[in-house]
Amino acid sequence: MLHLGFANSGAVSEAEQFGQYVIEKHDDGRPWELGRGAMGVTYRAMDSLLRRAVALKIIGLERTPNAEAARERFLREARAAAALRHPHISTVHQFGIHEESGQCFYAMELIEGETLEERVRRNGPLDLPTTIEIARQVTSALLAAEACRLVHRDIKPANLMMTDGGDDAVFTIKVIDFGVAKALAETSDPRFATHGGFVGTPAFASPEQWSNQAVDVRSDIYSLGATLWYLLTGRTPLGEPDADGSLASPPLAQLKAAGVPSRFRALLLAMLAREPAARPGVSELAGKLEAMRAPKRGGRLLSLAAVLALAVAVVYWTAPSRIRSPRGLATSEKSIAVLPFENLSTEPANAFFASGLHDDLLVSLSKIAALHVIARNSVLQYRGVPHDLRAIGAALQVGAILEGSIRRAGSRARINVQLIDSASGAQLWAENYDREITDAFAIQSDLASRIAAALRVSLSAPERARLERVPTHNGEAFLLYIQANEIAHYWAVQDEMRKAEKLFQQAIQLDPEFALAYAQLSQLQMSLEESYDPAPARYAKALTSAQAALRLQPDLPEAHMALGKYYAREGWSGAASEPEKAMAEFAIALRGSPNDPNILTAISRIERHQGKWADCTAHLKEAALLDPLTVERWHRLFFNYEITRNFPAAWEALDRVLALQPDSWYYASHQAHLLFWWKGDLSLVEKMLSRPRSGTGPEGFFTVGRSECYKLLHRYNEAIRVLLDDPAETFHRRGLWPIPKALMLGNLYDLTGDQVKAHAAYEAARPAIERTLAERPLDAGWHAVAAELYAGLGRKADAIREAKRATEIIPESTDKAMGAGMQENLANIYLQLGELDWAMPILAHSLQTPCGAYVNDLRFAPFYDKVRGDPRFQKLMAARDVVVPLDTEVPRNGAE
């Protein structure tokens, strides 16, 4: 019998399995308990489907008043929390309710480490640099949660897990139990309540939690402050509040005795302020912590803005001419960054108005061809953090910076803006607006025109018409649109996307001629279909919305972008379904909005499949310079250089990526392989094996990446061990398909010479591969995988048939990128089967083709070990990689 230990409840469970999760036991039969508290008991369990260990938390709501409603609330909040993905938040795999007992449960990532409470009890208080780094990591998690409108409500040392990196003191903090406290706060269950609706841990709870007031992220800021106090002193700063909710003053003597400097003491006192408004916001806190963070190699402490400026500016000034903008854009008076407007409104709910006005102004400016306008993602890096305008100007390579503030009260808004010369810091122009909020569009239209004038930009007649065109005369519809557009930026959160969809629809109901709302609704519906709801009906809705927008406003760039996205929807090969139609629409959209990096990226993707390598590269370069602080822009550019064998340029683009995410194992592994293909140098591959896992990457990439590193170093047994140690049964190899682990093991056993194990592994992989192939008969990738399987099993005719079928589905004549990959796969199948006469001409062609083979693979990769003695193969190894010339630049788009 499992005693769950709920506060004052005596609730127990006799269940050993909750859905697909089976509670593990110790050798003596006792359940493997990881921890317990007022909210429930956490066990170590095994996911019987995916065969991975998880942490399973069991919560009893079966005895609450109106238990069914309580469960519904729990699952609603739980789903929102489960959508949250962040490196410092424990990933939630699944929530559910045990049908027999009525107990709620959720399975989350199993963190191999200890809580900060355990760490302090074991070793005593922590030092200041460690505490600041912990605070920084937790704050980054709170930033992500704030974007999703989530509040933890129970931040405390016991809910912060530390995974230790060993002697070098590298560690990662993971926040656990995100969203559960809110779910329980609405159950009206006395087992979880101390005073009224209070949920949390008394020593770390904010004053507003005690008085049952509404809470937001500033409540979590308070709890984090109390947690940091505990880490530094081993004590909590405050006791429980009095009956009237009053609290004693924090005992500063504890901090002084611990040697905490005054600057950090002041920050803790601000975080522990009784009034939420007096506490720093999460963005402000992130900036303060970054400024206090100890430098890794000595020297002065840098602000976040200075770090960003240094990371980007250093690479910019050291990169050769191939990385410059295709428009020849250096810092000029006609380039601008519009920083996020500061929200001075007393109501936090008004923040969307400031964000919405900022976004709309950026969109308006991006439609001016003579301006170089930094994209939204890059300027958002500076929201709520201390910044140096000159450093930002250097980092973003702009001549002017616009900053401003908005104070909304009721139906009116006061807007203050100033345009600054980024080199001198001189004010170029400033303006104040005091208007009704329904005049928001008129304000931003006027701002765009006056900014253009201040930067000596002459507007063409079409540009002026676009700036002056009012998207809707219905003020309420426009406010709904602003709110929806702000929410729609959180693409990874399904609930937010659906909320934005409803807001767009409400705006359209209020104004059926609101073309811009139709266009954005269409793009949102495409994103929903691709990410969460793969149904033909969504594609149909997206097409209908785009067509409605174009019917109302035929020259609207957003509408042509929406229709282009519809035509560019992926087919089985990953290429656009209707590329020519998509390109025609994107070209129109780009003429109307020449500073939109998303349009440029969409165009480049189709150009890659068409084999227009120079145009593809030029568009990717322009997108990266318009959005220079977004990692994915530079990563796409790196990939394009790599597949065209422009290795030095690829290295420089990847330097940009690593300047922005220096700790990423995923991006560092790309650098290691690039050095190998470029120079045959395996030194970075070797270093990847001792590098700790960090940063983001595809699911399972760390396992597959390390196994590939061992394989490339001919350390096959260690490559096998890495795969066997991971409980997952499928991996996204090369980022394309969920490949059975058994297929990878078969390849490795082949290399060791153990044919018995190899054959058994291939046979274990065969059912899943053949089943998927039957379900997706037009997917060339799976035919290529099946060819690899049958070659391993020695089924020669089947292997050749499948490899050829892949080249027929995606011929190189129609898809230069994917088709080249299918040709290389066919050559390798012939080699594996000993058909060198068939393989050699295809492989020779592959070495001359973008997306084809690399010479250093032929020289060193284990796959080719058995054929290196053949004179024909030796001739191929003596060749040099053929570099695709990319000097051609596309003209500046959007000139009218």
Side-chain angles (χ1 to χ4, degrees), residues 523-777:
Q523 296 191 47
L524 180 65
Q525 287 166 332
M526 286 292 299
S527 296
L528 272 168
E529 197 284 337
E530 292 168 356
S531 301
Y532 299 108
D533 188 12
R538 280 218 170 268
Y539 275 142
K541 289 179 180 178
L543 176 60
T544 300
S545 298
Q547 290 172 334
L550 286 170
R551 185 175 61 253
L552 293 165
Q553 193 173 329
D555 65 342
L556 183 65
E558 290 84 354
H560 287 283
M561 177 65 171
L563 188 58
K565 280 189 173 182
Y566 171 78
Y567 289 135
R569 66 195 185 280
E570 288 188 358
W572 285 112
S573 71
S577 294
E578 301 178 85
E580 298 303 330
K581 290 182 178 180
M583 287 292 276
E585 295 301 326
F586 289 148
I588 298 171
L590 191 60
R591 284 198 296 272
S593 188
N595 285 283
D596 189 336
N598 294 318
I599 302 175
L600 294 163
T601 299
I603 290 172
S604 72
R605 181 174 180 177
I606 296 177
E607 288 170 334
R608 182 172 72 246
H609 290 283
Q610 293 176 331
K612 298 178 179 178
W613 304 108
D615 288 351
C616 176
T617 303
H619 282 124
L620 287 171
K621 285 162 66 175
E622 187 168 355
L625 289 167
L626 286 168
D627 196 7
L629 299 188
T630 295
V631 167
E632 190 54 33
R633 305 291 183 198
W634 294 106
H635 187 242
R636 288 176 185 271
L637 182 59
F638 144 75
F639 178 67
N640 203 66
Y641 281 131
E642 183 182 62
I643 61 179
T644 55
R645 304 188 185 86
N646 285 267
F647 296 132
W651 185 271
E652 289 150 8
L654 197 54
D655 267 349
R656 293 280 191 117
V657 172
L658 291 169
L660 294 169
Q661 288 197 8
D663 298 327
S664 171
W665 200 96
Y666 177 64
Y667 294 126
S669 71
H670 290 340
Q671 189 181 56
H673 282 82
L674 174 61
L675 185 64
F676 166 64
W677 287 321
W678 181 9
K679 298 184 177 181
D681 187 339
L682 287 166
S683 60
L684 290 184
V685 172
E686 182 79 44
K687 289 181 179 179
M688 293 306 301
L689 297 174
S690 58
R691 185 177 179 129
R693 180 176 186 170
S694 59
T696 58
E699 185 72 24
F701 182 85
F702 183 67
T703 295
V704 175
R706 292 177 70 243
S707 180
E708 289 292 329
C709 287
Y710 279 123
K711 178 181 175 181
L712 198 53
L713 295 167
H714 291 71
R715 294 160 63 178
Y716 306 131
N717 289 328
E718 290 164 291
I720 292 169
R721 176 181 53 78
V722 168
L723 290 177
L724 292 176
D725 285 347
D726 193 315
E729 293 301 324
T730 62
F731 293 102
H732 281 70
R733 187 182 65 181
R734 306 188 192 111
L736 294 177
W737 307 289
I739 306 297
K741 177 168 67 178
L743 179 65
M744 302 180 202
L745 288 171
N747 291 336
L748 289 167
Y749 287 131
D750 258 342
L751 291 170
T752 65
D754 192 332
Q755 298 304 314
V756 174
K757 286 187 177 180
H759 190 275
Y762 286 130
E763 280 295 341
R766 185 170 61 82
I769 293 174
E770 291 180 339
R771 181 173 60 251
T772 305
L773 189 60
E775 294 169 352
R776 306 177 68 172

Side-chain angles (χ1 to χ4, degrees), residues 103 316 578 866:
Q103 292 169 317
Y316 181 90
E578 301 178 85
K866 294 180 180 179

Side-chain angles (χ1 to χ4, degrees), residues 63-293:
R63 298 182 185 178
T64 63
N66 196 356
E68 187 62 32
R71 292 189 189 99
E72 289 180 4
R73 283 191 296 270
F74 179 86
L75 290 177
R76 183 177 66 248
E77 296 300 332
R79 278 191 288 269
L84 189 57
R85 292 290 185 269
H86 190 271
H88 297 301
I89 296 176
S90 175
T91 301
V92 174
H93 300 308
Q94 183 180 352
F95 285 81
I97 299 175
H98 191 263
E99 293 183 1
E100 296 179 4
S101 68
Q103 292 169 317
C104 294
F105 67 88
Y106 67 100
M108 57 185 166
E109 175 184 4
L110 181 64
I111 310 298
E112 299 290 352
E114 62 183 344
T115 69
L116 291 182
E117 181 180 36
E118 293 169 336
R119 174 61 65 95
V120 172
R121 287 182 177 177
R122 179 168 61 85
N123 291 345
L126 306 181
D127 58 48
L128 183 63
T130 300
T131 302
I132 291 175
E133 177 59 21
I134 290 169
R136 191 189 67 81
Q137 293 188 30
V138 176
T139 302
S140 73
L142 296 182
L143 271 168
E146 183 186 44
C148 300
R149 295 357 184 231
L150 289 175
V151 183
H152 191 288
R153 293 179 180 238
D154 198 22
I155 294 290
K156 59 183 179 181
N159 277 338
L160 302 178
M161 295 287 297
M162 172 183 275
T163 61
D164 218 323
D167 295 338
D168 58 358
V170 176
F171 63 86
T172 298
I173 299 298
K174 293 270 191 175
V175 182
I176 63 174
D177 282 355
F178 226 108
V180 177
K182 183 177 181 183
L184 298 178
E186 297 179 349
T187 64
S188 302
D189 185 350
R191 294 181 299 166
F192 301 111
T194 306
H195 297 312
F198 170 81
V199 170
T201 304
F204 300 95
S206 65
E208 58 267 30
Q209 287 177 268
W210 288 94
S211 55
N212 199 23
Q213 300 175 26
V215 299
D216 60 15
V217 70
R218 291 177 193 264
S219 181
D220 286 345
I221 295 295
Y222 181 100
S223 299
L224 177 57
T227 296
L228 300 178
W229 190 297
Y230 174 83
L231 299 182
L232 289 166
T233 67
R235 304 178 185 180
T236 56
L238 302 167
E240 295 187 8
D242 297 329
D244 62 354
S246 61
L247 292 164
S249 299
L252 277 175
Q254 293 179 4
L255 295 179
K256 293 178 180 178
V260 179
S262 59
R263 187 182 180 192
F264 198 75
R265 294 201 304 265
L267 178 61
L268 286 181
L269 289 178
M271 295 171 71
L272 292 169
R274 180 176 179 184
E275 293 298 326
R279 300 171 202 151
V282 65
S283 296
E284 179 185 356
L285 177 60
K288 290 180 180 294
L289 290 169
E290 194 68 39
M292 295 181 183
R293 188 182 183 190

Side-chain angles (χ1 to χ4, degrees), residues 174-458:
K174 293 270 191 175
V175 182
I176 63 174
D177 282 355
F178 226 108
V180 177
K182 183 177 181 183
L184 298 178
E186 297 179 349
T187 64
S188 302
D189 185 350
R191 294 181 299 166
F192 301 111
T194 306
H195 297 312
F198 170 81
V199 170
T201 304
F204 300 95
S206 65
E208 58 267 30
Q209 287 177 268
W210 288 94
S211 55
N212 199 23
Q213 300 175 26
V215 299
D216 60 15
V217 70
R218 291 177 193 264
S219 181
D220 286 345
I221 295 295
Y222 181 100
S223 299
L224 177 57
T227 296
L228 300 178
W229 190 297
Y230 174 83
L231 299 182
L232 289 166
T233 67
R235 304 178 185 180
T236 56
L238 302 167
E240 295 187 8
D242 297 329
D244 62 354
S246 61
L247 292 164
S249 299
L252 277 175
Q254 293 179 4
L255 295 179
K256 293 178 180 178
V260 179
S262 59
R263 187 182 180 192
F264 198 75
R265 294 201 304 265
L267 178 61
L268 286 181
L269 289 178
M271 295 171 71
L272 292 169
R274 180 176 179 184
E275 293 298 326
R279 300 171 202 151
V282 65
S283 296
E284 179 185 356
L285 177 60
K288 290 180 180 294
L289 290 169
E290 194 68 39
M292 295 181 183
R293 188 182 183 190
K296 292 183 178 179
R297 295 180 177 86
R300 295 189 307 155
L301 297 177
L302 299 176
S303 69
L304 176 58
V307 171
L308 286 169
L310 182 62
V312 179
V314 166
V315 180
Y316 181 90
W317 290 115
T318 58
S321 59
R322 61 172 61 88
I323 297 294
R324 289 203 299 262
S325 165
R327 292 188 266 165
L329 283 168
T331 302
S332 77
E333 62 180 11
K334 295 184 180 181
S335 54
I336 185 172
V338 182
L339 301 188
F341 292 153
E342 183 180 4
N343 175 39
L344 301 179
S345 305
T346 55
E347 292 294 328
N350 289 334
F352 82 87
F353 180 76
S355 296
L357 189 62
H358 173 255
D359 288 354
D360 266 17
L361 178 58
L362 272 177
V363 170
S364 293
L365 290 172
S366 72
K367 295 179 179 180
I368 301 174
L371 273 180
H372 174 75
V373 184
I374 298 299
R376 180 182 189 272
N377 284 346
S378 287
V379 295
L380 283 186
Q381 310 278 344
Y382 302 103
R383 174 183 281 173
V385 300
H387 51 254
D388 179 332
L389 295 184
R390 295 188 185 187
I392 294 175
L396 300 180
Q397 286 299 290
V398 292
I401 296 174
L402 185 81
E403 60 177 358
S405 63
I406 298 179
R407 185 184 300 277
R408 178 179 171 184
S411 64
R412 297 193 67 82
R414 182 170 181 81
I415 303 169
N416 300 304
V417 293
Q418 60 175 342
L419 189 66
I420 305 296
D421 182 285
S422 64
S424 66
Q427 186 183 87
L428 300 176
W429 165 78
E431 187 59 84
N432 297 324
Y433 296 87
D434 193 349
R435 303 271 190 90
E436 292 290 324
I437 59 174
T438 51
D439 292 336
F441 183 80
I443 295 171
Q444 64 90 7
S445 179
D446 182 63
L447 277 172
S449 297
R450 298 191 66 175
I451 290 168
L455 296 177
R456 302 182 184 89
V457 171
S458 298

